[in-house]
Amino acid sequence: MGLQVRIFTLMDESILNAIRERLKHITYISSSVVFSAGDVIEKIVFIVRGEMESIGKDGSVISLSEGDVFGEELLSWCLERAASNTDGTRIWIKRKGLLSYRSVRCVTNVDVFSLSVADLDDVTRLFSRFLGSCKVQGAIRYESPYWRLRAAMEIQVAWRYRRRRLKRLYCSV
């Protein structure tokens, strides 16, 4: 692929070949909106050339350029849909789509490779054991703005809960 995407360094050649076969090349023009906050995420996008920006609901902006990926939380979402029966066979749980918490728009003309949800489902079904490993999941969560946002929100909730508990403790004494 030639891109410097961390998760791909953990994958063997058979998985990369399965992904390469399913990638589609897309060119977006400047100011195009690729994802809108609140819409269902339908693809993972790998930026080959150009610049984009990811804008959160809170107004925070993250610059994206060559080698960056967005929509990668779809991989975790597809893997979480997989479950096992008591006899060891795999079943797939139907769930509604994953919603985007950020809007992504092009700053310049952008060339990307895209992997649709259906194609990603095929790859995760073929390689679910490998893709579900802790090392791969850790790479996804470390790189992803989505997972970083979720982690920050969890920390904020825990901090507020602790402050309330301490306040009640000190006020009752």
Side-chain angles (χ1 to χ4, degrees):
M1 285 183 120
L3 295 175
Q4 298 295 324
V5 180
R6 181 172 179 245
I7 188 172
F8 291 149
T9 62
L10 302 172
M11 295 183 185
D12 66 1
E13 203 60 34
S14 60
I15 298 173
L16 292 175
N17 285 337
I19 291 172
R20 280 186 201 113
E21 290 172 3
R22 292 166 174 83
L23 287 175
K24 292 173 183 64
H25 181 264
I26 301 173
T27 302
Y28 292 104
I29 60 171
S30 181
S31 301
S32 297
V33 176
V34 180
F35 286 117
S36 295
D39 287 352
V40 174
I41 301 173
E42 298 174 345
K43 60 191 167 206
I44 297 178
V45 177
F46 307 94
I47 302 172
V48 177
R49 184 181 13 242
E51 293 181 13
M52 299 176 128
E53 62 183 9
S54 174
I55 305 157
K57 288 183 178 179
D58 62 350
S60 62
V61 177
I62 298 172
S63 295
L64 302 168
S65 60
E66 180 179 328
D68 287 333
V69 180
F70 58 91
E72 65 278 1
E73 57 270 21
L74 270 181
L75 181 55
S76 297
W77 182 79
C78 285
L79 289 169
E80 287 170 2
R81 293 177 11 164
S84 295
N85 281 330
T86 54
D87 61 359
T89 59
R90 307 280 294 171
I91 58 171
W92 292 88
I93 302 166
K94 293 237 183 231
R95 290 190 186 165
K96 293 184 179 181
L98 183 65
L99 298 180
S100 175
Y101 291 98
R102 305 185 70 77
S103 295
V104 178
R105 72 174 191 86
C106 301
V107 176
T108 64
N109 291 347
V110 180
D111 288 326
V112 302
F113 284 115
S114 173
L115 187 63
S116 71
V117 174
D119 291 333
L120 186 59
D121 260 346
D122 290 343
V123 172
T124 55
R125 286 179 188 198
L126 290 171
F127 301 102
S128 61
R129 180 171 296 229
F130 176 79
L131 293 172
S133 75
C134 292
K135 191 180 279 190
V136 173
Q137 289 296 308
I140 293 168
R141 289 190 171 122
Y142 180 77
E143 296 292 328
S144 170
Y146 168 78
W147 287 108
R148 289 183 181 199
L149 175 67
R150 278 193 62 182
M153 288 170 38
E154 291 288 327
I155 291 168
Q156 288 174 349
V157 167
W159 178 253
R160 289 181 189 132
Y161 176 73
R162 179 172 167 71
R163 277 190 26 211
R164 269 188 260 135
R165 282 186 53 206
L166 289 174
K167 187 176 180 181
R168 276 190 242 137
L169 178 69
Y170 291 130
C171 289
S172 64
V173 173

